[in-house]
Amino acid sequence: DADVTQTPRNRITKTGKRIMLECSQTKGHDRMYWYRQDPGLGLRLIYYSFDVKDINKGEISDGYSVSRQAQAKFSLSLESAIPNQTALYFCATSDSGHNYGYTFGSGTRLTVV
Amino acid sequence: DQQVKQNSPSLSVQEGRISILNCDYTNSMFDYFLWYKKYPAEGPTFLISISSIKDKNEDGRFTVFLNKSAKHLSLHIVPSQPGDSAVYFCAATNSGGSNYKLTFGKGTLLTVNP
């Protein structure tokens, strides 16, 4: 099993629909992140959480919300999807020690039509 | 304001030659730098990192160089192999900050031709 699992892998949804992307991890890391990747724009941070009671906005949080249901689970919601939210979404984890690297999931390709 | 810049969207090299990927940063608080590699349909994977107390870190065919005065780092791949073809992201952070998170560049698509 993957250390960081994202579901679904692919999703097509209609404008205005609510959609949730889920992320779970078996790394035991306390920190979790949601990024989106767009062509030519790289990886941009949407939200991050340093523990279950800590949620922080990233650089592009408008139109998104998150929920940290447990240390191992971090969900990203689009309350009312719009076409410019079509992108590749990545969940990542890290620990609070001296290992500064992230472990990424395989991504969710979201298309809003 | 883009704090981590990868100014070359793409790079093409011949198999066996050296690949040099460049990255510049503007935030003087950054003191730890990482490179990630990403294949299509997969998440980015950690490749190599360097702390600002060093100017070079080597791992097999991969070497990262850091020039703090120029706020510049580069990733050298020698010799390049077709399997190295991927998008490479440069990332940076302030390791001493309590609000630790990585800031990524836009990525460089490396193509290694057989």
Side-chain angles (χ1 to χ4, degrees):
Chain A
D1 288 345
D3 293 327
V4 181
T5 301
Q6 291 184 234
T7 56
R9 288 298 309 272
N10 291 282
R11 180 72 182 267
I12 300 174
T13 192
K14 293 184 177 181
T15 298
K17 292 291 187 181
R18 183 180 188 274
I19 183 170
M20 178 182 289
L21 309 184
E22 301 193 19
C23 176
S24 63
Q25 53 121 342
T26 58
K27 299 283 290 184
H29 288 168
D30 49 356
R31 300 181 175 191
M32 299 186 74
Y33 310 81
W34 276 104
Y35 282 84
R36 69 178 271 178
Q37 184 190 6
D38 299 275
L41 296 178
L43 292 162
R44 294 183 293 165
L45 182 62
I46 306 172
Y47 270 96
Y48 60 105
S49 168
F50 283 176
D51 65 43
V52 175
K53 296 180 181 179
D54 176 80
I55 301 289
N56 303 281
K57 292 183 177 180
E59 56 184 305
I60 54 164
S61 59
D62 288 348
Y64 301 95
S65 62
V66 291
S67 173
R68 185 83 183 265
Q69 301 95 324
Q71 187 195 34
K73 295 184 182 295
F74 192 36
S75 301
L76 176 71
S77 292
L78 288 67
E79 296 301 326
S80 180
I82 56 177
N84 76 1
Q85 291 177 312
T86 294
L88 193 52
Y89 290 84
F90 289 103
C91 174
T93 72
S94 70
D95 66 28
S96 54
H98 292 292
N99 177 5
Y100 303 110
Y102 287 179
T103 301
F104 281 88
S106 297
T108 294
R109 182 167 294 282
L110 177 66
T111 303
V112 183
V113 297
Chain B
D1 178 34
Q2 199 180 347
Q3 299 186 69
V4 177
K5 301 177 182 179
Q6 294 178 256
N7 293 319
S8 297
S10 63
L11 174 67
S12 182
V13 300
Q14 286 300 119
E15 181 178 6
R17 306 295 289 270
I18 184 172
S19 295
I20 300 176
L21 295 92
N22 294 304
C23 179
D24 298 292
Y25 61 97
T26 59
N27 189 336
S28 58
M29 297 299 291
F30 288 154
D31 64 354
Y32 196 82
F33 306 89
L34 307 90
W35 285 93
Y36 281 80
K37 181 167 74 172
K38 184 185 177 304
Y39 293 118
E42 295 182 13
T45 55
F46 171 74
L47 186 58
I48 193 169
S49 62
I50 188 167
S51 165
S52 61
I53 62 173
K54 294 184 175 182
D55 55 17
K56 176 182 174 181
N57 189 26
E58 191 172 357
D59 184 2
R61 297 186 297 112
F62 302 90
T63 303
V64 56
F65 296 91
L66 176 62
N67 182 332
K68 291 185 290 293
S69 61
K71 293 190 175 68
H72 176 83
L73 61 156
S74 60
L75 174 67
H76 293 211
I77 307 174
V78 184
S80 300
Q81 300 174 353
D84 296 330
S85 297
V87 176
Y88 289 79
F89 290 102
C90 173
T93 188
N94 172 10
S95 64
S98 60
N99 196 22
Y100 164 76
K101 56 186 183 296
L102 296 180
T103 299
F104 288 87
K106 293 183 178 181
T108 296
L109 173 63
L110 173 66
T111 302
V112 180
N113 301 301

